[in-house]
């Protein structure tokens, strides 16, 4: 009897069964879809509703202000905002793959909202011509849109993440097209979007590079409506004479042709998976047409909205959300009336087992050779069910059969149980994401969890990510940032305790990222307290700098031992603080002080001298002055009797003066004094001899040069002045050597 009650809900289209379970009774109140523009996101996503300004409607007790309202698929209000944008009528709106609501108004301006009805900046325009000619129609796909102007021009945004509008080729048609359809870039050979437009008696394919007229059996007169299948391989066409045609995307053959007995084009045309096409007119039954056989009619007394999915169509009405899909083969094999497949017998065996009937053992013996296939069919059928009790019964049947099947993969039931727990959790009316198992696999658990996070369903996302084995760090960080934004009245210390209690769940979480969010929200004290818990100095130090905690940043950088971080803090403080304050900060810290000195010795001598003077290190200033004098001597213009010789002498004299003020540097003071004296004598020798060969040579080389030039008096003067005790014999020419003359 259970099989009969399940299969009685199915409809047969040729040799395929279809079912239409109710997902939710809608929780919204006083909703009339015919008075509103509605955009429904695929994969069980949210529903955006706004009053249609192109229709004259009675307002009843509602405000004259138009509101953009966002609901879950179960009709629970998520958010709302007042629509107050200029630019004319709202032409169209749709959801992108990342659940951003895109709205296009008459002048071509594109407005974007997140799921919380918050406007996303910046706004863009489809083009200047759209502003001048107005947009009359737009076609959306996953992450893009094509807009049609009153002048017949096509403008496209191929990717909402990039937001770069472009113009497609001009069609040259005099009249506006009857209909449009879009082939997504991922399904085209060129990788660019292609637009199918019904013009006159044919179809044109338009892209950025040109226009191509379609030739084929399917094109035999004006086209009223077109829609491309989910996989981009097929095209459904409603013709001027009331026929529905299905052809491949290359127009090489007709796979379906059915006379709808109405030349009036349907308001909505949608694919139900890849096996059938739905047509909807107001005040007439919903028509489903398949490859062969009689069509199926579904009767409604309220307006509908068809939401195509990869494996079916969601049907939204004022009061309910239903899911029309082809019944999976595994479900048909179990519940088909009169079915004797191994899966059906296994399901029946469980019923007998529960009633303690011996017929259970008889059924198992009958299907012993095919028992593993029967178990697999029960598991697969459970995955496609929306009813929880039926899921449980099918899994019990699979578990019962698995006990007698030694070669079956043991973790298959466990994996399906995990998947169903996730699906049942998000299908709850409070969450309102009615995913089928095929949609869940195509969407992936990571994307589903990201959508829960964006919807601020953090607890469910946390439990789900742990259950399926995904990283929980992103979820906890998003929760922390949302908590900071929403907790303006909570004191910093109290909020810090709340945050730390959850942040400690993830060992590798970035406290610095949460602290940066707190700083952006004007809670600098909370940011400073949070960043104290960041274990990675590479993230901690830059944030401390950005929130103005330079002292703490310098301390943390020093403790890390990372010289790059220390330099980062030093350069920041150097630029922001007065020199004396900067010197005071680094004086008591050896590592920053030494790194600063090393850098300044190479590039900032004057600043380094100020530092040494402020700290009383006169000898270091003297050494710097002495080094500068040598650098000045390397300048070709600074030696050989040039006027720059004076500044060099002053540097040495200053160095000698500073050395003389410290008792520990008597030697350096005397050396600087004698260096200055030698330079003066060498300069006088160059002036007297008119040869620039003395400056910067040693005492010995100076004496030798004088002897070579025959200036023995000067040589003896230098010897006496610097108290050279004895000169080597090779300095003197043999005939003038005083030692030889005395013999």
């Amino acid at each position: 009897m259970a099989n009969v009650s399940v299969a009685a809900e199915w409809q047969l289209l040729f040799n395929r069964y279809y079912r239409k379970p109710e997902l939710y009774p809608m929780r919204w109140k006083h909703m009339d879809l015919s008075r509103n523009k509605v955009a429904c996101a695929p994969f069980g996503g949210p529903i955006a509703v706004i009053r249609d300004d192109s229709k004259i409607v009675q307002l009843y007790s509602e405000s004259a202000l138009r509101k953009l309202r966002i609901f879950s698929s179960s009709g629970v209000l998520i958010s709302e905002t007042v629509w107050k944008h200029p630019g004319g009528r709202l032409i169209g709106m749709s959801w992108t793959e990342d659940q951003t609501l895109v709205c296009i108004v008459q002048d071509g301006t594109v407005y974007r909202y997140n799921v919380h009805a918050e406007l996303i900046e910046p706004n863009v325009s489809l083009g200047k011509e759209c502003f001048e000619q107005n947009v009359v129609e737009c076609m959306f796909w996953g992450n893009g849109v094509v807009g049609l102007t009153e002048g017949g021009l096509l403008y496209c945004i191929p990717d909402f993440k990039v937001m770069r509008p472009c113009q497609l080729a001009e069609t040259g048609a005099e009249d506006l097209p009857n209909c449009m359809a879009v082939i997504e870039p991922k399904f085209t050979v060129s990788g660019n979007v292609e637009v199918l437009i019904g013009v006159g008696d044919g179809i044109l394919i338009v892209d950025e590079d040109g226009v191509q007229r379609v030739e084929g059996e399917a094109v035999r007169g004006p086209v009223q409506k077109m829609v491309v299948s989910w996989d981009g391989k097929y095209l459904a066409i409603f013709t001027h004479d009331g026929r529905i045609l299905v052809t491949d995307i290359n127009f090489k053959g007709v796979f379906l042709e059915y006379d709808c007995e109405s030349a009036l084009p349907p308001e909505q045309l949608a694919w139900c998976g890849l096996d059938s096409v739905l047509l909807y007119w107001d005040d007439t039954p919903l028509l489903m047409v398949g490859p062969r056989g009689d069509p199926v009619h579904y009767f409604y007394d309220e307006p509908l909205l068809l939401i195509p999915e990869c494996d079916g169509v969601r049907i939204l009405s004022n009061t309910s959300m239903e899911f029309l899909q082809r019944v999976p083969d595994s479900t048909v094999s179990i519940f088909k009336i009169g079915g004797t497949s191994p899966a059906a017998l296994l399901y029946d065996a469980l019923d007998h087992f529960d009633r303690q009937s011996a017929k259970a053992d008889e059924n198992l013996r009958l299907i012993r050779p095919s028992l593993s296939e029967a178990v697999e069919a029960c598991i697969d059928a459970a995955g496609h069910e929306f009813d929880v009790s039926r899921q449980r019964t099918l899994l019990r049947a699979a578990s019962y059969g698995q006990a007698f099947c030694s070669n079956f993969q043991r973790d298959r039931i466990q994996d399906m149980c995990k998947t169903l727990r996730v699906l049942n959790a998000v299908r709850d009316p409070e969450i309102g994401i009615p995913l089928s198992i095929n949609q869940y696999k195509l969407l992936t658990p990571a994307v589903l969890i990201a959508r829960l996070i964006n919807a601020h369903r953090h607890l469910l996302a946390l439990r789900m990510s742990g259950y399926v084995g995904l990283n929980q760090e992103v979820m906890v960080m998003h929760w922390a940032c949302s908590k900071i934004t929403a907790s303006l009245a909570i004191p910093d210390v109290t909020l810090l305790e709340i945050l730390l209690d959850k942040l400690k769940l993830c060992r590798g979480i970035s406290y610095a990222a949460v602290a940066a969010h707190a700083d952006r929200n004007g809670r600098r004290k909370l940011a400073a307290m949070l960043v104290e818990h960041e274990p990675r100095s590479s993230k901690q130090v830059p944030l401390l700098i950005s929130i103005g905690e330079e002292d703490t940043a310098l301390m943390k950088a020093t403790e890390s031992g990372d010289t790059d971080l220390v330099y980062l803090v030093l350069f920041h403080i150097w630029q922001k603080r007065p020199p004396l304050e900067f010197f005071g900060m680094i004086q008591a810290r050896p590592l920053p002080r030494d790194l600063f000195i090393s850098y300044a010795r190479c590039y900032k001598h004057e600043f380094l001298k100020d530092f040494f003077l402020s700290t009383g290190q006169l000898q270091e200033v003297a050494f710097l002055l002495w080094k500068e004098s040598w650098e000045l001597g390397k300048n070709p213009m600074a030696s050989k009797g040039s006027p720059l010789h004076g500044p060099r002498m002053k540097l040495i004299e200053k160095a000698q003066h500073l050395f003389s003020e410290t008792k520990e540097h008597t030697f350096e003071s005397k050396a600087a004094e004698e260096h200055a004296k030698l330079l003066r004598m060498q300069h006088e020798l160059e002036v007297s001899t008119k040869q620039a060969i003395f400056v910067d040579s040693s005492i010995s080389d100076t004496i030798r040069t004088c002897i070579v030039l025959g200036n023995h008096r000067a040589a003896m003067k230098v010897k006496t002045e610097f108290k050279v005790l004895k000169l080597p014999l090779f300095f003197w020419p043999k005939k003038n050597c005083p030692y030889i003359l005395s013999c």
Side-chain angles (χ1 to χ4, degrees):
M1 291 299 295
N3 292 14
V4 173
S5 63
V6 172
E9 301 172 356
W10 301 349
Q11 296 285 340
L12 182 63
L13 180 64
F14 181 48
N15 60 353
R16 297 163 184 171
Y17 289 97
Y18 285 82
R19 62 182 177 183
K20 187 167 60 66
E22 182 181 68
L23 301 177
Y24 305 112
M26 299 304 289
R27 294 190 170 191
W28 54 35
K29 295 181 180 179
H30 312 299
M31 177 62 68
D32 184 358
L33 297 180
S34 63
R35 302 171 68 245
N36 296 279
K37 282 186 177 292
V38 183
C40 301
F43 295 100
I47 303 170
V49 179
I50 187 171
R51 191 170 67 237
D52 192 347
D53 56 349
S54 65
K55 298 179 180 178
I56 300 175
V57 296
Q58 188 173 354
L59 294 180
Y60 300 105
S61 60
E62 62 184 292
S63 170
L65 291 174
R66 296 170 68 204
K67 283 187 177 181
L68 173 64
R69 293 178 290 171
I70 297 177
F71 298 88
S72 69
S73 289
S74 59
V76 176
L77 181 65
I78 299 174
S79 58
E80 64 180 1
T81 186
V82 175
W83 179 271
K84 51 186 178 181
H85 298 298
R89 286 193 303 108
L90 177 63
I91 301 300
M93 61 180 182
S94 180
W95 293 91
T96 65
E97 293 176 353
D98 59 356
Q99 290 196 342
T100 298
L101 181 64
V102 178
C103 306
I104 299 181
V105 295
Q106 206 166 3
D107 66 358
T109 305
V110 180
Y111 299 101
R112 294 176 295 161
Y113 289 88
N114 62 19
V115 74
H116 303 289
E118 298 168 342
L119 186 65
I120 301 173
E121 299 288 351
N123 304 322
V124 298
S125 174
L126 286 175
K128 181 181 177 182
E129 289 78 3
C130 294
F131 181 81
E132 296 172 349
Q133 299 183 8
N134 288 337
V135 177
V136 294
E137 186 179 357
C138 51
M139 295 291 297
F140 294 89
W141 70 93
N143 260 342
V145 65
V146 171
L148 174 69
T149 69
E150 292 175 346
L153 301 179
L154 292 170
Y155 288 86
C156 170
I157 298 180
D159 190 349
F160 287 123
K161 295 178 181 178
V162 181
M163 298 296 284
R164 292 179 182 171
C166 61
Q167 183 179 357
L168 302 186
E170 297 187 16
T171 62
E174 296 181 358
D175 300 324
L176 290 177
N178 302 322
C179 59
M180 293 198 308
V182 173
I183 306 176
E184 298 183 35
K186 62 182 179 181
F187 299 133
T188 62
V189 177
S190 63
N192 298 321
V193 63
E194 294 181 357
V195 183
L196 304 174
I197 60 174
V199 177
D201 292 337
I203 298 175
L204 301 179
I205 302 178
V206 185
D207 58 15
E208 292 184 44
D209 300 323
V211 180
Q212 178 184 354
R213 177 169 287 275
V214 172
E215 301 292 341
E217 182 183 354
V219 186
R220 293 178 293 180
V223 175
Q224 301 294 322
K225 203 88 171 177
M226 292 185 291
V227 63
V228 180
S229 64
W230 184 269
D231 62 353
K233 293 182 179 179
Y234 304 101
L235 179 69
I237 302 172
F238 187 86
T239 63
H240 68 291
D241 53 359
R243 290 178 299 120
I244 181 73
L245 306 175
V246 173
T247 178
D248 67 354
I249 205 66
N250 297 315
F251 300 92
K252 292 184 178 178
V254 175
F255 307 113
L256 179 151
E257 183 172 352
Y258 178 79
D259 189 353
C260 299
E261 299 179 356
S262 172
L264 184 68
E267 289 194 5
Q268 298 178 62
L269 179 65
W271 283 87
C272 182
L274 296 175
D275 301 303
S276 59
V277 178
L278 290 173
L279 300 94
Y280 173 69
W281 293 266
D282 273 345
D283 302 325
T284 59
L286 178 64
L287 178 66
M288 182 168 65
V289 180
R292 294 187 183 89
D294 295 332
V296 175
H297 295 84
Y298 295 98
F299 295 89
Y300 291 88
D301 57 359
E302 54 186 352
L304 302 179
L305 184 69
L306 306 180
I307 311 165
E309 300 283 3
C310 61
D311 56 346
V313 171
R314 279 188 292 144
I315 302 174
L316 175 65
S317 66
N318 294 338
T319 58
S320 66
M321 172 76 78
E322 298 172 318
F323 184 50
L324 176 60
Q325 67 169 163
R326 177 182 170 183
V327 181
D329 294 337
S330 58
T331 305
V332 172
S333 67
I334 297 171
F335 295 109
K336 183 179 179 181
I337 297 175
T340 58
S341 66
L345 292 177
L346 176 59
Y347 188 82
D348 190 52
L350 176 67
D351 182 55
H352 289 298
F353 178 78
D354 290 339
R355 290 187 283 111
Q356 299 182 351
S357 170
K359 188 73 184 308
D361 186 60
E362 181 181 339
N363 281 8
L364 285 175
R365 285 199 302 270
L366 287 174
I367 62 173
R368 176 73 68 179
S370 305
L371 188 56
S372 60
E373 290 82 355
V375 172
E376 179 63 35
C378 287
I379 295 173
D380 185 70
H384 288 92
E385 287 296 328
F386 284 84
D387 183 79
V388 177
S389 62
R390 199 172 296 159
Q391 294 172 2
R392 188 180 295 113
T393 305
L394 287 165
L395 289 173
R396 285 187 62 234
S399 180
Y400 177 63
Q402 181 181 292
F404 302 95
C405 186
S406 59
N407 59 347
F408 190 77
Q409 191 175 356
R410 294 294 170 179
D411 57 354
R412 183 76 175 86
I413 295 179
Q414 181 182 0
D415 292 342
M416 182 56 72
C417 287
K418 284 186 175 182
T419 300
L420 286 175
R421 284 177 182 172
V422 171
L423 290 175
N424 291 336
V426 299
R427 288 170 182 169
D428 185 272
E430 288 298 324
I431 307 300
I433 305 179
L435 286 174
S436 68
I437 190 169
N438 289 334
Q439 295 168 23
Y440 174 68
K441 291 177 180 178
L442 188 61
L443 188 64
T444 72
V447 176
L448 176 58
I449 291 172
R451 293 188 173 187
L452 290 173
I453 291 172
N454 289 334
H456 292 177
R457 299 286 183 177
H458 296 104
L459 181 58
L460 179 59
L462 177 66
R463 291 173 176 172
M464 191 180 298
S465 57
Y467 192 68
V468 300
L470 295 177
N471 188 5
Q472 298 177 331
E473 179 179 338
V474 175
M475 191 286 308
V476 176
M477 282 185 59
H478 191 280
W479 169 83
C481 295
S482 301
K483 186 68 176 177
I484 292 170
T485 304
S487 306
L488 299 179
I490 301 178
D492 290 338
V493 177
T494 306
L495 184 56
L496 177 67
E497 294 176 358
I498 297 172
L499 294 174
L500 293 180
D501 186 53
K502 297 295 187 295
L503 292 174
K504 66 184 180 182
L505 295 174
C506 300
R507 291 184 179 180
I509 199 165
S510 175
Y511 287 84
V514 181
H517 181 80
D519 181 52
R520 288 194 295 270
N521 282 266
R523 306 192 71 160
R524 182 154 290 189
K525 182 180 177 182
L526 176 62
M529 292 188 291
L530 277 169
V531 79
E532 284 291 328
H533 297 272
E534 174 58 59
R536 289 162 289 194
S537 300
S538 59
K539 294 186 176 181
Q540 185 183 43
V541 171
L543 183 61
L544 285 168
I545 293 173
S546 67
I547 64 177
E549 297 289 335
E550 288 92 354
D551 291 349
T552 309
L554 185 58
M555 180 184 69
K556 295 294 184 182
T558 304
E559 291 174 356
S560 72
D562 189 335
T563 56
D564 290 337
L565 286 178
V566 177
Y567 271 126
L568 176 67
V569 182
L570 284 176
F571 290 146
H572 178 79
I573 301 174
W574 194 344
Q575 293 174 355
K576 286 193 66 177
R577 303 239 180 143
L580 289 179
E581 190 177 346
F582 171 68
F583 297 153
M585 288 184 65
I586 66 173
Q587 174 60 22
R589 296 181 171 94
L591 180 59
R593 182 190 63 219
D594 294 343
L595 290 175
F596 163 73
I597 291 173
S598 298
Y599 174 80
R601 282 190 189 279
C602 298
Y603 305 106
K604 297 288 184 180
H605 269 201
E606 292 299 324
F607 203 72
L608 185 58
K609 283 189 284 187
D610 293 341
F611 170 71
F612 285 141
L613 286 172
S614 69
T615 56
Q617 302 179 63
L618 301 180
Q619 71 280 2
E620 297 294 341
V621 181
F623 279 124
L624 286 175
L625 292 172
W626 209 349
K627 182 180 178 181
E628 287 180 16
S629 72
W630 281 106
E631 295 294 331
L632 200 58
K634 294 178 182 179
N635 187 341
M637 298 297 296
S639 59
K640 318 309 180 198
S642 73
L644 290 179
H645 189 66
R648 185 179 178 190
M649 290 297 300
K650 290 179 181 179
L651 290 174
I652 298 174
E653 289 171 353
K654 287 181 182 179
Q656 187 272 331
H657 175 71
L658 292 173
F659 279 133
S660 66
E661 292 186 8
T662 58
K663 296 180 180 180
E664 296 82 4
H665 296 84
T666 306
F667 171 77
E668 286 84 354
S669 175
K670 186 65 175 176
E673 181 182 355
E674 293 194 349
H675 185 203
K677 187 191 300 182
L678 177 62
L679 283 176
R680 288 193 194 95
M681 293 185 68
Q682 289 173 340
H683 182 61
E684 292 171 358
L685 287 171
E686 287 188 350
V687 172
S688 62
T689 61
K690 297 182 181 180
Q691 297 188 56
I693 57 176
F694 289 96
V695 173
D696 285 335
S697 60
S698 65
I699 294 175
S700 300
D701 288 343
T702 302
I703 295 173
R704 183 179 184 281
T705 304
C706 289
I707 294 172
V708 170
L709 294 176
N711 193 347
H712 303 298
R713 182 179 296 176
M716 292 303 295
K717 181 180 178 182
V718 173
K719 174 180 176 296
T720 304
E721 188 70 30
F722 292 99
K723 299 178 182 179
V724 179
L725 297 178
K726 191 175 181 180
L727 293 175
L729 290 176
F730 59 80
F731 269 38
W732 302 90
K734 190 172 183 180
K735 64 179 181 178
N736 295 325
C737 181
Y739 301 101
I740 296 175
L741 294 174
S742 63
C743 294

